[in-house]
Amino acid sequence: ADYDNTTDSGIPNMDEEATAEEIIKGTDPALYLAIAVVVFAVIFIFIQIRKKRKADEIDSFFSNLEGDKFNLTLPAAVDEYYEVKEKCEKAGWEPGQSTGGAQPSPHHRALAQALMKRCIDDIPIVTHIQRESPGMNKLYSQSMCSVKQWKDYQAAEAMVSAEVEEVRAEADEIEPGWSQVIWRQAMQYSQMLKQKEEQAKKLQAEQQRAIAAQKAADAEKKNAEKAKYDAVKAKVDAEKARLANADQFEKDKIAKAEKAAQELLKAEEREKQSKSAFGGKGGMKKGFLG
């Protein structure tokens, strides 16, 4: 039998419906509110977890994409400059003294050269930050870079900016006013050195190609000479073999002739002996039969 909410005649059971309505009416509305709060809290936590996971994935993506792009360090020329400066100060050099167009002292010249070397060696990291700065600021404004990457960039930029100002300050100590042009001079020297290095690499590559070409030509010449020698040797060996065969053939022919002659002589000798035994006086040799 089917169990439903109707009587045998198919009419709904009004007593059971009334009981359900009383149960619903008797439920505390605070229960519905609590259920709604719990559902909202679960949904909120789920959304936050998804956001955090997505943010972590983005950070991981950009970290892997860029790697140690802003893990910069100052060149060794920085420490070398301060070592030279310390030696010059111990030798009596004092900062801020202009040469006034006169011949600079050995200490002044050594310190200026050390600072210029420091400045030139700084050029790669300075140009790197200058090149990356617009793109990083744009990525950060659009929330398209990780927090770690942005902090790494800021730290690198601060370090490079401090180094630029420190070089300028040191330049004015060596020669007042030099700070206004030292970075431009360093950039020019850096480009000259780069061009010189590229030319040296190009010349080295050309020399290597020329050496390789000469080696290939020598190898080809050697192979050709060897092939020619092998061909001549093969002909000589073939001729020697032919002559050796002909000589052996003549030797065999002579040997056969000599053998035939010896056999003929032996036959003649036997024939003479036979005639002498039966053809003497008396018709028979004495002592034969008796």
Side-chain angles (χ1 to χ4, degrees):
D2 295 333
Y3 294 93
D4 53 20
N5 200 25
T6 60
T7 60
D8 294 339
S9 60
I11 299 174
N13 191 335
M14 300 302 295
D15 292 339
E16 292 182 2
E17 290 184 358
T19 302
E21 289 179 0
E22 289 176 358
I23 292 172
I24 294 173
K25 288 180 180 179
T27 303
D28 190 354
L31 180 60
Y32 294 108
L33 180 61
I35 294 172
V37 170
V38 171
V39 172
F40 176 78
V42 171
I43 295 174
F44 177 77
I45 293 172
F46 177 74
I47 293 173
Q48 292 301 316
I49 292 174
R50 286 193 63 184
K51 284 184 178 180
K52 186 176 184 305
R53 187 177 299 170
K54 188 174 181 180
D56 291 341
E57 290 176 356
I58 293 174
D59 289 347
S60 177
F61 170 76
F62 282 108
S63 296
N64 295 332
L65 183 65
E66 299 296 338
D68 296 332
K69 193 173 185 179
F70 298 109
N71 187 18
L72 305 180
T73 55
L74 294 176
V78 176
D79 293 334
E80 293 172 359
Y81 166 78
Y82 288 113
E83 292 175 1
V84 174
K85 183 178 181 181
E86 183 179 359
K87 292 179 181 178
C88 291
E89 288 176 341
K90 289 180 179 180
W93 176 83
E94 295 181 1
Q97 295 180 351
S98 175
T99 58
Q103 187 72 17
S105 66
H107 301 302
H108 185 279
R109 187 184 299 107
L111 197 57
Q113 291 175 350
L115 184 62
M116 180 54 67
K117 183 178 184 300
R118 171 183 175 179
C119 196
I120 291 173
D121 289 354
D122 280 335
I123 292 296
I125 61 174
V126 173
T127 54
H128 176 72
I129 290 296
Q130 289 176 342
R131 184 173 59 251
E132 296 295 333
S133 181
M136 284 302 302
N137 283 285
K138 184 176 181 180
L139 289 174
Y140 181 74
S141 65
Q142 297 177 356
S143 300
M144 294 181 65
C145 67
S146 65
V147 175
K148 179 182 180 302
Q149 187 182 5
W150 176 247
K151 289 182 178 180
D152 290 344
Y153 161 72
Q154 286 183 313
E157 185 185 34
M159 181 191 71
V160 172
S161 298
E163 172 65 7
V164 170
E165 295 303 321
E166 182 67 21
V167 168
R168 286 175 176 166
E170 294 293 328
D172 281 337
E173 287 188 0
I174 297 172
E175 184 69 31
W178 193 22
S179 62
Q180 303 299 319
V181 296
I182 184 171
W183 281 104
R184 184 167 66 252
Q185 292 175 347
M187 183 64 73
Q188 292 173 352
Y189 288 142
S190 177
Q191 291 176 351
M192 289 172 59
L193 292 173
K194 187 176 180 180
Q195 290 176 355
K196 187 177 180 180
E197 183 179 356
E198 290 177 352
Q199 289 176 354
K201 288 181 179 179
K202 184 178 180 180
L203 180 61
Q204 184 180 7
E206 290 177 353
Q207 290 176 346
Q208 290 177 348
R209 286 195 295 269
I211 292 172
Q214 185 63 41
K215 286 183 177 180
D218 292 342
E220 185 177 358
K221 182 179 179 182
K222 186 177 180 180
N223 292 334
E225 290 177 351
K226 186 177 183 302
K228 184 177 180 181
Y229 170 80
D230 291 341
V232 172
K233 185 175 182 298
K235 289 181 179 179
V236 171
D237 291 342
E239 184 64 19
K240 285 181 178 180
R242 187 186 69 78
L243 293 175
N245 292 332
D247 186 51
Q248 185 64 38
F249 177 76
E250 291 295 329
K251 287 181 179 179
D252 292 342
K253 186 177 179 181
I254 293 172
K256 289 179 180 180
E258 290 178 350
K259 185 178 180 180
Q262 290 176 358
E263 290 178 352
L264 183 60
L265 290 173
K266 289 180 180 180
E268 290 178 354
E269 184 67 24
R270 287 194 298 269
E271 185 177 356
K272 287 180 179 180
Q273 290 177 357
S274 176
K275 286 181 179 180
S276 62
F278 291 96
K281 286 185 176 182
M284 283 187 183
K285 188 177 180 181
K286 292 181 178 180
F288 191 82
L289 298 178

